[in-house]
Amino acid sequence: MASSVLRTSFLPLLQSQDGYNSISSLHNFTTTHHRGDRKGRFNGVAAAQLETGNASNDSNTMVKRGHRTRKNEHFKRFLNFSGEKPSTPVLDTIYHPIHMKNLSIEELGKLADELREELVYTVSKTGGHLSSSLGVAELTVALHHVFDTPEDKIIWDVGHQAYPHNILTGRRSRMHSIRQTCGLAGFPKREESIHDAFGAGHSSTSISAGLGMAVGRDLLGKNNHVIAVIGDGAMTAGMAYEAMNNAGYLDTNLIIILNDNEQVSLPTATVDGPASPVGALSKALTKLHSSREFRQLREEGITKQIGGQTHEIAAKFDSHDRGMVGGSGASLFEELGLYYIGPVDGHNVEDLVYVLNEIRSMPAPGPVLIHVITEKGKGYAPAEIAPDKMHGVVKFDPKSGKQMKSKSETLSYTQYFAESLIAEAKQDDKIVGIHAAMGGGTGLNLFQKQFPDKCFDVGIAEQHAVTFAAGLASEGLKPFCAIYSSFLQRGFDQVAHDVDLQKLPVRFAIDRAGLVGADGPTHCGAFDTTFMACLPNMVVMAPSNETELMHMVATAAAIDDRPSCFRYPRGNGIGSILPPNNKGTPLEIGKGRVLREGSRVAILGYGTIVQSCMKAAELLEMLGVSATVADARFCKPIDGDLLRQLAQEHEILITTEEGSIGGFSTHVSHFLGLNGLLDGKLKWRPMMLPDRYIDHGSQNDQIEEARLSSKHIAATALSLLGAPQGGRSPTQPIDGTLPIHMMI
């Protein structure tokens, strides 16, 4: 496709509330194109208004000679974060986005303030994502004021920024239920609202989805707008650039809003506090919106000064000069074929409305990127001071921001992993840690504190993280790649092709395996055992408790001829005795263990569900049924000797796992079938997550819905035993309690 030359003459607006110029006026800009249908598309968009002084679309804004003056300045008011329900007179009139259409700029500003008060009041009682949503209050208000959802499509990326959107789209009365069982989802969900154009629990998908919607619109002859709001780390993933590259080529009308809160690479907390954003893009954008020369260039309108030059020469000069004085971010986007506008003050409602109205009124703008500068946690002091700690919160005190975290006698599995890895690294200087913008979430912030030069945050880029680790392994280092189970899905091809095929000893620490509670199906770690254990060279492990986790960290460190992985859940340990100095002992590869000896029933658990198997055996014992419990430890290579023993010495074999169909139980059935162990009288039943997605809620509720509790395991055994052979009836109550089959 032929190249396009774009030129903009920027003119200054009024000072924003934060004391710096917002986006330069869109007036008085001309554009030269060499792209067929885009020729002249921007010409004279607002030139008539500029020359004549006509009012803009906003009745509270006057435009004359490139400057806008406000009839009603929006002065800051003191916000109510007392913990009492705030007074929200403007918000109380909004039940759907259409109710915002006739609000003045001043009223829109008040609405943004009231949204912040409502957010803090609500989330303080429920927990959830706070800082990111506080940062987009004005942007959300402006988008819904200018555009018409659901006809116009707004995609939030990542979806944890969408709480204000939820409130304004008919869900305010249910915000008290967010992320709770049977309540609102914590991320946009198409099934939940017609205003949720696309579900987004994982990052960096909005531009691809938006481009698909835009092309679909064109093919169907529609004329609605598609807006992709991307930010808070989402711009670091390669998928966003793949989509922008394609958008520039296809040249369809698409609005991309880059929500730049100076955390383009999500800086999850370190031990000493927030970390600086990582990645060259973050530096480029910071340089772009802080460059004094670039601002001066925008304000003076360089193309205006060129005067008699042709549009094309002016465009080339403008583009070259912008690149010279720090506009590298703009040049990057424009080289991809996007028309760049910005930076825009994301907390100035008037400017946002003005810019969005101008873009909306253009008949065929092509792909446009609006660079919006916001502050994460804006308006709420505790979140402004510590946006990382207030990113995802439990219940907290609105006055102070102090979170009401429940105290536990044990640490989280994440912390046990980190402490064990630190212990290994103290004895092996080849060990390095890698995470994808999740230092706090994976515990590698603790590792980084001890080994700052051996911990790598690659941004939200799981594919890159995996192959980066493969490169390290090829040089003889021992990389531990710590990634959430659901996020590792994004890097599967790299795991298969770049790691497993080459037998490179990358160690994958798979956090958040199994059900994860309030984050719901987008973050559920259901599939890792299935997709990791199908790889020929991969060693696949799962610990039954925190002690076993430390042993598996040591085992992975010792495996140096092939890749390995171990999965562990969200939540805390059980209080098992830890090895000295948190230094585990390597396990024998492919060997499980028997934890409890029985006779009739064998229960084989994989992972921390072993604890539920032990409780199930206790329930069965109360009913006169003797049960063996074994801890598989390994899915691959599987312990064939243990499987033979369990199959040959018991009437019933039950396998349990907190994973999807195709996982551990599939490998068990494969072994049993090939070795003729299913040809006799053995009754085998697998128990795993159901073949459907389980909605958000408490982990206990999810376990009950999945029918994987200790009661369900015991009931499965009883159903297979049938009529008892002596002793107490399996369905007879004990000590006045209900029979197990009635308890579930």
Side-chain angles (χ1 to χ4, degrees):
M1 177 173 289
S3 63
S4 171
V5 182
L6 305 174
R7 179 176 66 85
T8 305
S9 176
F10 292 95
L11 293 171
L13 298 183
L14 296 174
Q15 286 290 102
S16 74
Q17 296 172 4
D18 292 319
Y20 65 86
N21 286 329
S22 179
I23 182 177
S24 302
S25 173
L26 292 181
H27 287 296
N28 194 39
F29 75 85
T30 57
T31 307
T32 301
H33 298 275
H34 300 294
R35 283 193 189 178
D37 64 336
R38 282 185 71 177
K39 185 175 181 181
R41 154 181 306 175
F42 287 98
N43 289 343
V45 170
Q49 292 182 351
L50 177 64
E51 297 301 325
T52 63
N54 291 339
S56 73
N57 292 337
D58 175 10
S59 61
N60 290 320
T61 304
M62 300 295 290
V63 180
K64 189 172 184 180
R65 295 197 179 105
H67 295 275
R68 298 187 295 141
T69 58
R70 300 179 177 97
K71 289 181 180 179
N72 298 303
E73 285 284 353
H74 170 52
F75 294 101
K76 283 187 175 181
R77 65 188 185 93
F78 292 103
L79 303 186
N80 176 13
F81 301 125
S82 66
E84 301 294 327
K85 184 169 178 59
S87 173
T88 53
V90 180
L91 181 58
D92 291 344
T93 67
I94 308 300
Y95 295 94
H96 296 285
I98 195 172
H99 300 144
M100 300 170 57
K101 300 305 178 185
N102 294 325
L103 296 182
S104 66
I105 290 295
E106 182 179 8
E107 289 169 330
L108 292 174
K110 289 181 179 178
L111 177 59
D113 286 342
E114 291 176 12
L115 272 176
R116 284 197 175 89
E117 293 175 321
E118 182 82 3
L119 278 170
V120 172
Y121 174 75
T122 301
V123 177
S124 70
K125 298 179 181 301
T126 64
H129 290 97
L130 182 64
S131 292
S132 301
S133 291
L134 289 171
V136 296
E138 288 86 359
L139 177 59
T140 308
V141 165
L143 283 168
H144 280 296
H145 175 71
V146 172
F147 295 101
D148 302 315
T149 62
E151 287 77 18
D152 292 330
K153 313 297 182 184
I154 300 176
I155 307 168
W156 292 95
D157 185 2
V158 176
H160 59 231
Q161 304 173 91
Y163 286 22
H165 164 81
N166 289 353
I167 293 172
L168 296 175
T169 53
R171 286 169 278 185
R172 182 187 182 191
S173 64
R174 297 184 61 204
M175 284 297 291
H176 67 278
S177 71
I178 197 161
R179 291 163 50 89
Q180 299 175 36
T181 304
C182 299
L184 292 178
F187 303 96
K189 188 175 181 181
R190 285 168 55 86
E191 297 173 7
E192 189 174 280
S193 172
I194 58 174
H195 298 280
D196 290 356
F198 198 78
H202 294 190
S203 79
S204 317
T205 61
S206 59
I207 304 176
S208 296
L211 182 60
M213 293 178 185
V215 171
R217 169 203 62 205
D218 297 344
L219 292 174
L220 295 173
K222 300 179 181 179
N223 60 0
N224 59 285
H225 299 275
V226 179
I227 306 98
V229 183
I230 183 169
D232 201 39
M235 204 50 139
T236 58
M239 186 175 179
Y241 295 90
E242 295 170 16
M244 286 190 290
N245 179 56
N246 194 212
Y249 176 79
L250 292 176
D251 199 32
T252 190
N253 296 342
L254 174 67
I255 300 171
I256 302 167
I257 296 178
L258 171 56
N259 173 26
D260 180 1
N261 56 13
E262 297 187 355
Q263 297 194 357
V264 177
S265 296
L266 189 63
T268 51
T270 65
V271 175
D272 297 321
S276 299
V278 301
L281 174 65
S282 180
K283 294 178 182 178
L285 292 178
T286 299
K287 184 178 180 182
L288 179 62
H289 69 72
S290 64
S291 170
R292 179 178 178 181
E293 292 85 356
F294 184 53
R295 283 191 193 170
Q296 198 169 28
L297 176 69
R298 292 190 292 118
E299 293 166 9
E300 292 174 355
I302 189 168
T303 51
K304 179 180 178 182
Q305 297 177 28
I306 295 176
Q309 302 281 349
T310 65
H311 287 171
E312 184 170 348
I313 295 175
K316 290 179 179 178
F317 183 85
D318 192 1
S319 176
H320 173 263
D321 212 49
R322 289 172 71 185
M324 282 197 308
V325 299
S328 55
S331 297
L332 168 65
F333 297 125
E334 292 185 346
E335 288 299 326
L336 288 172
L338 309 179
Y339 191 85
Y340 175 91
I341 296 172
V344 185
D345 181 357
H347 300 301
N348 189 312
V349 176
E350 181 176 10
D351 288 355
L352 288 168
V353 168
Y354 174 75
V355 170
L356 294 174
N357 266 323
E358 290 297 320
I359 298 301
R360 183 178 184 271
S361 65
M362 295 177 186
V368 176
L369 185 138
I370 306 173
H371 184 183
V372 175
I373 307 299
T374 64
E375 180 183 355
K376 193 167 182 174
K378 177 71 174 178
Y380 181 53
E384 290 181 344
I385 295 169
D388 56 328
K389 293 181 180 178
M390 301 297 285
H391 172 84
V393 297
V394 297
K395 296 178 182 179
F396 64 92
D397 175 18
K399 291 182 180 179
S400 64
K402 183 178 180 180
Q403 298 186 48
M404 304 170 189
K405 295 184 178 180
S406 59
K407 294 183 179 180
S408 173
E409 296 180 358
T410 61
L411 301 177
S412 68
Y413 279 97
T414 298
Q415 290 171 289
Y416 288 121
F417 156 71
E419 295 294 346
S420 181
L421 186 62
I422 290 169
E424 294 294 329
K426 286 180 178 179
Q427 297 187 14
D428 189 340
D429 61 5
K430 291 185 177 181
I431 288 177
V432 296
I434 302 160
H435 65 89
M438 295 297 292
T442 61
L444 285 185
N445 56 348
L446 301 172
F447 182 84
Q448 182 182 16
K449 176 72 173 179
Q450 298 284 332
F451 305 100
D453 296 329
K454 295 183 178 180
C455 187
F456 300 94
D457 177 358
V458 302
I460 303 181
E462 290 82 5
Q463 292 173 297
H464 167 57
V466 172
T467 306
F468 176 65
L472 288 167
S474 71
E475 291 300 305
L477 292 164
K478 295 184 176 181
F480 278 76
C481 196
I483 301 179
Y484 286 11
S485 170
S486 61
F487 298 162
L488 186 57
Q489 295 163 187
R490 299 160 68 102
F492 177 71
D493 179 65
Q494 286 68 34
V495 174
H497 181 271
D498 300 340
V499 175
D500 194 74
L501 180 62
Q502 304 185 86
K503 295 187 70 174
L504 290 170
V506 176
R507 293 90 177 157
F508 294 98
I510 306 175
D511 203 335
R512 303 310 198 269
L515 298 165
V516 295
D519 283 333
T522 60
H523 288 60
C524 178
F527 309 113
D528 58 272
T529 303
T530 300
F531 66 70
M532 296 299 273
C534 71
L535 299 172
N537 296 316
M538 187 72 64
V539 175
V540 183
M541 303 174 274
S544 57
N545 56 41
E546 60 267 40
T547 305
E548 286 286 296
L549 173 58
M550 290 186 169
H551 292 325
M552 288 182 183
V553 172
T555 304
I559 297 173
D560 212 26
D561 62 344
R562 50 189 155 162
S564 58
C565 67
F566 49 94
R567 73 188 316 250
Y568 47 99
R570 180 177 189 169
N572 289 6
I574 64 170
S576 60
I577 299 175
L578 301 178
N581 301 317
N582 298 322
K583 175 68 174 67
T585 302
L587 303 172
E588 183 179 356
I589 304 298
K591 288 298 179 182
R593 58 177 181 156
V594 174
L595 300 178
R596 174 184 175 126
E597 294 280 1
S599 58
R600 302 187 65 188
V601 176
I603 307 173
L604 177 61
Y606 178 67
T608 54
I609 200 172
V610 166
Q611 305 307 322
S612 296
C613 296
M614 292 292 286
K615 293 177 182 177
E618 293 170 2
L619 290 172
L620 290 170
E621 185 178 36
M622 295 171 65
L623 296 171
V625 176
S626 177
T628 295
V629 177
D631 174 8
R633 281 180 167 168
F634 293 85
C635 176
K636 190 171 189 175
I638 205 160
D639 189 343
D641 293 337
L642 178 61
L643 286 177
R644 283 191 180 92
Q645 176 188 341
L646 298 177
Q648 292 171 353
E649 296 179 3
H650 300 81
E651 302 171 36
I652 294 165
L653 173 61
I654 298 172
T655 53
T656 63
E657 61 182 308
E658 201 172 310
S660 69
I661 292 173
F664 172 69
S665 294
T666 297
H667 288 261
V668 171
S669 67
H670 187 72
F671 180 88
L672 295 176
L674 288 178
N675 288 275
L677 296 171
L678 295 176
D679 299 345
K681 296 182 179 180
L682 176 70
K683 296 179 180 179
W684 169 70
R685 294 294 184 272
M687 297 184 71
M688 75 284 290
L689 293 176
D691 193 21
R692 57 181 172 82
Y693 295 102
I694 294 179
D695 280 337
H696 57 278
S698 72
Q699 283 178 283
N700 287 337
D701 288 345
Q702 290 178 327
I703 287 289
E704 290 294 323
E705 184 176 345
R707 302 181 69 82
L708 287 178
S709 70
S710 58
K711 293 181 296 183
H712 290 100
I713 297 170
T716 299
L718 293 176
S719 69
L720 293 170
L721 285 170
Q725 298 177 6
R728 187 185 299 272
S729 168
T731 60
Q732 182 179 341
I734 300 176
D735 298 330
T737 60
L738 288 173
I740 290 176
H741 78 285
M742 294 181 66
M743 290 192 289
I744 61 176

